[in-house]
Amino acid sequence: MAEKEWKSKIEQALSKYNCEVNDAEVAAAVKKIIEEKVPENNTDEVKRFMFGSICLTTLTTVDSAESVLQLVEKVNKFAHEYPAMPHVATVVTYPRFAKLVAQSLEVDGVIPTVVSGAFPSSQALLEIKVAETAMAIRDGATNVDIVMHVGEFLAGDYETVCEEIQEQKAACGDVPMKVILETGDLRNGSEIKIASLLSMYAGADYIKTSTGKEKVSATPEAAYIMCQAIKEYYDETGIMIGLKPAGGINTVTDALTYYTIVKEVLGEKWLTNYYFRLGTSRLANLILSDLEGKEVKFF
């Protein structure tokens, strides 16, 4: 698409929304939700649901076929040892392990997922990002997480941001694609909202807060703004987009906070393990320990 045509299309899309976000108002709204609404969701039923929304992840420099297989085997074993619990939503790895995960998973419904497109920086040629995504899907990935080009976004080059998302979504086809906004690198709530809207219009099936590789990862305020953008986009288009808070979810209470924000802003319709995902591996053991009443280190 020609640059001028892209720019016109982007301006037209953004003109439908109020992209001026008052960060103080967002902070106050989030504070109110945490104080008034989170406690009522602190139930075993909600914790089991959240367990089923966990994206179990290994994205380290020292990952190997052996270590990834060990993680998958834990997922397989968990289904037998905890039959009353839901399984995790996904197993997330680098693309080189997509085939191994797809071939080794024995639990129906656990989704082989990859981070693609030069994760976590997104700093590669677009052709390479597209090829990596296509090859991961060829190898069995049925969910793909990519990173918005944050540098170009901050420079105001929304055309490049949208083009890169659209091209990678084209490579995904029907495979759901999450766009990571890296909200900790965005400067204010208005930028988070604009990034959310651009990602959705360019083809995102989910928007995700963070890679977990930057100094600031998910925050309740960022998730709140993203939920507002999802709601407004849904009201405008009728298309439901999923949300994935990721990075910095260190306690069960942290997870409950994100659950509650989704419930309050988007409603029960979004509270499924398809539309609501949690990018945190440590949460699996934390929820198990909470439910069992003792420390559990299964994963």
Side-chain angles (χ1 to χ4, degrees):
M1 187 180 294
E3 182 179 343
K4 189 173 181 181
E5 188 179 351
W6 250 126
K7 189 171 183 179
S8 174
K9 188 174 181 181
I10 291 166
E11 289 172 350
Q12 185 179 7
L14 291 178
S15 71
K16 299 175 183 179
Y17 304 90
N18 178 11
C19 294
E20 295 297 321
V21 175
N22 184 312
D23 290 323
E25 289 179 0
V26 169
V30 169
K31 184 173 184 287
K32 184 178 173 69
I33 288 173
I34 291 172
E35 290 176 352
E36 297 182 6
K37 299 295 184 178
V38 169
E40 68 189 42
N41 294 318
N42 189 9
T43 68
D44 287 357
E45 180 183 5
V46 170
K47 291 168 189 172
R48 288 192 183 92
F49 164 76
M50 292 194 304
F51 188 93
S53 292
I54 291 172
C55 295
L56 203 62
T57 302
T58 181
L59 297 170
T60 73
T61 304
V62 297
D63 285 346
S64 65
E66 182 181 6
S67 66
V68 170
L69 184 58
Q70 286 175 351
L71 181 65
V72 174
E73 287 175 344
K74 287 179 182 178
V75 174
N76 294 337
K77 185 179 177 183
F78 181 83
H80 296 290
E81 295 197 12
Y82 290 86
M85 286 287 292
H87 53 67
V88 295
T90 72
V91 173
V92 187
T93 65
Y94 285 111
R96 66 178 292 120
F97 302 115
K99 183 179 290 186
L100 173 64
V101 174
Q103 292 177 345
S104 304
L105 270 174
E106 298 171 358
V107 185
D108 290 340
V110 179
I111 299 170
T113 302
V114 297
V115 294
S116 186
F119 177 95
S121 70
S122 197
Q123 297 285 9
L125 294 170
L126 178 56
E127 293 84 352
I128 292 173
K129 297 184 192 182
V130 169
E132 183 180 43
T133 299
M135 292 170 73
I137 291 169
R138 176 203 67 190
D139 287 347
T142 53
N143 266 199
V144 169
D145 293 14
I146 69 165
V147 185
M148 177 186 78
H149 200 299
V150 181
E152 299 297 354
F153 177 87
L154 293 174
D157 186 356
Y158 296 166
E159 296 81 37
T160 294
V161 170
C162 290
E163 180 186 9
E164 292 206 353
I165 293 170
Q166 187 181 55
E167 291 290 328
Q168 289 174 88
K169 177 55 185 172
C172 288
D174 293 333
V175 169
M177 184 183 79
K178 305 181 195 74
V179 176
I180 304 168
L181 309 183
E182 205 66 283
T183 54
D185 288 338
L186 304 184
R187 293 168 292 204
N188 51 56
S190 295
E191 289 192 341
I192 293 172
K193 189 165 187 182
I194 292 169
S196 299
L197 292 166
L198 292 179
S199 297
M200 292 186 285
Y201 269 100
D205 299 289
Y206 295 77
I207 49 177
K208 177 178 170 181
T209 57
S210 322
T211 62
K213 304 296 186 182
E214 296 290 277
K215 290 180 180 178
V216 178
S217 292
T219 66
E221 292 77 16
Y224 181 88
I225 295 165
M226 291 165 71
C227 284
Q228 285 187 315
I230 289 169
K231 183 178 187 303
E232 292 174 25
Y233 182 80
Y234 175 72
D235 290 342
E236 177 68 31
T237 67
I239 300 170
M240 286 180 71
I241 301 295
L243 177 77
K244 182 178 174 180
I249 304 174
N250 298 316
T251 67
V252 174
T253 301
D254 289 342
L256 284 168
T257 296
Y258 291 110
Y259 171 94
T260 306
I261 289 169
V262 170
K263 183 179 179 181
E264 294 301 313
V265 179
L266 292 171
E268 300 274 358
K269 192 174 181 179
W270 265 263
L271 292 176
T272 73
N273 72 349
Y274 181 87
Y275 288 106
F276 178 62
R277 298 274 175 79
L278 288 163
T280 166
S281 292
R282 63 174 62 88
L283 186 63
N285 285 335
L286 292 172
I287 289 179
L288 280 176
S289 298
D290 189 292
L291 292 172
E292 294 284 315
K294 61 182 180 181
E295 187 176 21
V296 178
K297 292 184 177 180
F298 189 94
F299 293 101

